[in-house]
């Protein structure tokens, strides 16, 4: 079974001691985190933090289920990119531990027979409070190669996947449903998501970033498209399997 949740921000308590992710998931289950995983943060320049990260990842490696995540804006993208790339789910992933993998931007993966388009990243509005290479990394914003890879993957899939997993979301969702003003620094990414929102057929789009748990049914070209914002909720993907076009 596949479960999805929102930003974990390196909080190990979410996974243990009765936390939201201290669940009865088994070795046959998969958990997907919608960005800001946060357990890959410090590098060797901070030995204490680096060792703490590794201790947390080692603890997570004892979980019986598989943990997958797209990257958010609050990640050490430099360190993340140094993990080995391996073939898994029909494309490449970064292997963090034997049961922990980073789902790359612009890839389509097949997990338990379902297809997922993944595209992490977002702009940090708190960038002014952070220090580059210490608490902020420029890799939070996708590059041209990642956009091109994503477009190619979607075209090759004939503009149809089962699910989309991102960190942030389309600008129209930000404005009309989350009631925020999209940051112009994020405009290229959220604009790209607007394009996907209209052009791609999908059962549900899951995202984090906005620190809310909510569900939106969006009327669009005679269809209803589903969007699920996640933070603490842990949802079973089977709840979003059925697609209806007459819900509005």
């Amino acid at each position: 079974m596949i479960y999805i949740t929102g930003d974990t921000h390196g909080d190990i308590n979410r996974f243990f001691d009765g936390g939201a992710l201290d669940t009865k998931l088994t070795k046959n289950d998969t958990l997907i985190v919608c960005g800001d995983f946060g357990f890959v943060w410090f590098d060797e320049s901070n030995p204490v933090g680096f060792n703490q990260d590794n201790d947390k990842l080692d603890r997570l490696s004892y979980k019986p289920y598989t943990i997958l995540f797209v990257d958010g804006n609050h990640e050490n993208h430099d360190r993340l990119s140094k993990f080995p790339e391996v073939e898994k789910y029909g494309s490449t992933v970064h292997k963090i531990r034997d049961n922990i993998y980073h789902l790359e931007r612009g890839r389509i993966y097949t997990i338990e027979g379902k297809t997922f388009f993944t595209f992490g990243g977002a702009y940090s509005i708190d960038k002014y409070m952070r220090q580059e290479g210490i608490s902020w990394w420029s890799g939070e914003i996708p590059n041209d190669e990642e956009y091109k890879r994503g477009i190619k993957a979607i075209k090759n899939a004939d503009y149809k996947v089962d699910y989309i997993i991102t960190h942030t979301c389309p600008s129209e969702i930000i404005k009309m449903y989350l009631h925020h003003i999209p940051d112009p620094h994020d405009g290229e990414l959220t604009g790209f998501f607007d394009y996907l929102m209209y052009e791609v057929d999908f059962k549900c789009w899951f995202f984090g970033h906005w620190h809310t748990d909510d569900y939106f049914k969006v009327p669009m070209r005679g269809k209803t498209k589903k969007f699920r914002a996640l933070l603490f909720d842990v949802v079973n993907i089977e709840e979003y399997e059925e697609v209806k076009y007459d819900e509005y």
Side-chain angles (χ1 to χ4, degrees), residues 30-49:
T30 300
L31 175 72
I32 303 177
V33 179
C34 294
D36 280 3
F37 182 58
F39 291 96
V40 180
W41 187 256
F42 297 102
D43 59 26
E44 292 89 340
S45 66
N46 184 332
V48 174

Side-chain angles (χ1 to χ4, degrees), residues 17-246:
D17 302 325
L21 297 172
D22 187 13
T23 63
K24 296 181 180 179
L25 272 64
T26 72
K27 64 180 181 179
N28 297 317
D29 294 324
T30 300
L31 175 72
I32 303 177
V33 179
C34 294
D36 280 3
F37 182 58
F39 291 96
V40 180
W41 187 256
F42 297 102
D43 59 26
E44 292 89 340
S45 66
N46 184 332
V48 174
F50 183 75
N51 289 334
Q52 287 175 344
D53 273 358
N54 284 325
D55 286 345
K56 290 178 181 179
L57 289 168
D58 288 342
R59 289 183 66 189
L60 291 178
S61 74
Y62 287 104
K63 286 292 183 181
Y65 53 89
T66 299
I67 300 171
L68 310 177
F69 66 97
V70 298
D71 53 279
N73 50 305
H74 292 152
E75 316 276 10
N76 184 337
H77 298 276
D78 291 350
R79 182 182 170 200
L80 197 55
S81 67
K82 294 177 182 177
F83 281 90
E85 276 192 319
V86 298
E87 291 287 330
K88 197 170 181 67
Y89 307 122
S91 193
T92 60
V93 298
H94 286 112
K95 181 180 179 180
I96 313 300
R97 290 293 188 276
D98 285 343
N99 68 324
I100 306 173
Y101 299 91
H102 168 230
L103 303 176
E104 299 177 352
R105 298 171 184 171
R107 304 286 190 192
I108 292 179
Y109 300 100
T110 301
I111 306 169
E112 295 188 19
K114 301 172 177 59
T115 54
F116 294 79
F117 176 79
T118 61
F119 209 97
Y123 176 76
S124 294
I125 59 172
D126 59 353
K127 174 183 171 182
Y128 69 96
M129 300 170 57
R130 297 174 177 270
Q131 184 177 349
E132 185 167 6
I134 302 296
S135 55
W136 174 83
W137 291 267
S138 61
E140 69 178 17
I141 295 296
N143 58 42
D144 289 346
E145 180 183 346
E146 291 164 337
Y147 283 120
K148 290 176 182 176
R149 184 169 67 203
I151 290 291
K152 182 179 180 180
I154 285 296
K155 286 182 177 178
N156 288 342
D158 292 326
Y159 294 89
K160 184 175 182 179
V161 293
D162 289 319
Y163 301 99
I164 294 178
I165 310 286
T166 60
H167 185 50
T168 188
C169 62
S171 67
E172 288 197 26
I173 300 299
I174 296 171
K175 289 183 290 186
M176 302 301 295
Y177 293 87
L178 295 172
H179 307 295
H180 289 278
I181 299 174
D183 193 292
H185 296 92
D186 231 2
E188 185 175 28
L189 178 57
T190 57
F192 173 61
F193 289 164
D194 285 340
Y195 165 76
L196 297 180
M197 170 178 164
Y198 279 95
E199 298 300 326
V200 179
D201 284 333
F202 55 88
K203 294 177 182 177
C204 191
W205 183 320
F206 298 92
F207 63 94
H209 190 53
W210 293 95
H211 289 198
T212 185
D213 289 293
D214 215 334
Y215 177 42
F216 312 114
K217 297 177 181 179
V218 182
M220 192 178 304
R221 296 178 179 173
K223 298 181 179 181
T224 296
K225 293 196 173 182
K226 300 176 182 179
F227 293 80
R228 186 65 160 90
L230 289 165
L231 179 58
F232 293 116
D233 285 354
V234 183
V235 301
N236 184 333
I237 206 165
E238 296 294 334
E239 299 173 21
Y240 302 88
E241 275 287 283
E242 187 177 2
V243 179
K244 295 181 180 179
Y245 296 140
D246 58 354

